[in-house]
Amino acid sequence: MHLNSKQLIDYIGEHCKGAPKGIIFDCDGVLIDSVEANMLFYNKIRQKLGLPELNSAQREYCQMSTAAQALDFITPTALKPLLNGIVKEISYAREIEPMIQASEGIVEMLEDLKAHFRLGVHTNRTGPLDVMLTRLKMNTYFDPIMTVLYCDPKPSPDGANKVLQKWNVAPHEVLFIGDSAMDKMAADAANIPFMSYRNENLLEIGTCFDYHELGKALLSLKEL
């Protein structure tokens, strides 16, 4: 269900017992619109291996997993010895990353929220996000940014728990926004209230489709 501002206020207020003190964002599909760019990367690898493009199940798995997990999943055992060489032939930074854009309305919302909420990232990406976030004008908003260099990958709650520790807040005082089952499992395991972004399959209620409305709801809760 697409929640409007009033419904977002009710949902967040109930689950966070008022206004949250902090918000944890997933990266791919939440902060950034990266699905097709990432799929291009994996399909380029598949093409070089002489394999067909990803099917729907493979696409879904790749979008919510680490790159290493995705490559392992989509590559037949007999071809895995070729992977390292083929991956080196494709420049993610030059060929793929420029296609990635900020999710609609996210930068404006972050600018409105930065003075009122702690903002963090928990992602299954491996490498640093600095260059990409700088290009997308999101490099000044988040602390901490938990990648799998610093924590176990989702669905482990390790990264979420480390954010709670850094912020010194209780789980119910944080809202976790994600778009995959991995995100929800990590949030649930850390006892953090979860809101799905543009994925109604995760929650029948509590799905946000519009960052402008979400920003209004969060600021309204802060004023209560």
Side-chain angles (χ1 to χ4, degrees):
M1 182 171 66
H2 180 171
L3 300 184
N4 59 34
S5 295
K6 173 63 167 60
Q7 291 167 323
L8 287 167
I9 290 170
D10 291 343
Y11 179 86
I12 298 168
E14 176 185 351
H15 289 81
C16 295
K17 302 178 183 178
K21 293 182 178 179
I23 306 163
I24 299 173
F25 296 86
D26 174 46
C27 183
D28 291 85
V30 176
L31 290 181
I32 60 175
D33 184 0
S34 60
V35 175
E36 294 309 319
N38 287 339
M39 295 311 111
L40 175 63
F41 173 66
Y42 294 122
N43 278 325
K44 279 177 174 284
I45 291 169
R46 298 265 298 177
Q47 182 181 38
K48 288 178 179 291
L49 289 170
L51 298 170
E53 290 192 352
L54 300 170
N55 60 37
S56 58
Q58 291 168 329
R59 283 173 61 96
E60 182 177 358
Y61 183 88
C62 288
Q63 186 60 14
M64 65 183 182
S65 65
T66 67
Q69 290 169 336
L71 290 170
D72 183 67
F73 183 75
I74 67 173
T75 307
T77 301
L79 297 178
K80 285 179 181 177
L82 303 175
L83 259 181
N84 285 340
I86 285 177
V87 169
K88 290 177 182 177
E89 294 176 13
I90 302 170
S91 172
Y92 188 93
R94 186 176 63 252
E95 300 179 49
I96 307 299
E97 191 169 293
M99 297 174 57
I100 296 174
Q101 299 300 317
S103 294
E104 184 179 357
I106 186 68
V107 176
E108 294 82 359
M109 184 185 76
L110 294 171
E111 183 64 22
D112 290 340
L113 298 184
K114 67 178 183 180
H116 306 282
F117 302 89
R118 293 177 178 270
L119 304 172
V121 176
H122 182 15
T123 174
N124 274 355
R125 281 184 171 245
T126 302
L129 303 183
D130 307 49
V131 172
M132 180 177 66
L133 291 180
T134 298
R135 177 175 67 83
L136 299 177
K137 297 180 171 54
M138 287 192 280
N139 57 306
T140 61
Y141 297 113
F142 304 110
D143 183 28
I145 295 175
M146 302 301 301
T147 70
V148 296
L149 290 176
Y150 308 111
C151 63
D152 296 334
K154 296 174 285 189
S156 167
D158 183 42
N161 285 328
K162 286 178 177 176
V163 175
L164 294 178
Q165 292 167 8
K166 181 175 179 62
W167 288 350
N168 192 27
V169 295
H172 76 268
E173 295 176 313
V174 173
L175 181 67
F176 194 124
I177 301 177
D179 70 329
S180 75
M182 297 285 193
D183 297 327
K184 187 175 186 306
M185 286 189 283
D188 288 348
N191 295 312
I192 296 173
F194 179 79
M195 171 167 285
S196 63
Y197 179 68
R198 293 182 179 263
N199 187 348
E200 293 176 296
N201 293 324
L202 291 177
L203 291 173
E204 291 184 5
I205 59 172
T207 300
C208 169
F209 278 79
D210 187 317
Y211 278 134
H212 177 66
E213 289 188 346
L214 179 60
K216 287 196 303 182
L218 286 164
L219 292 173
S220 295
L221 277 165
K222 199 73 175 178
E223 295 171 358
L224 295 178

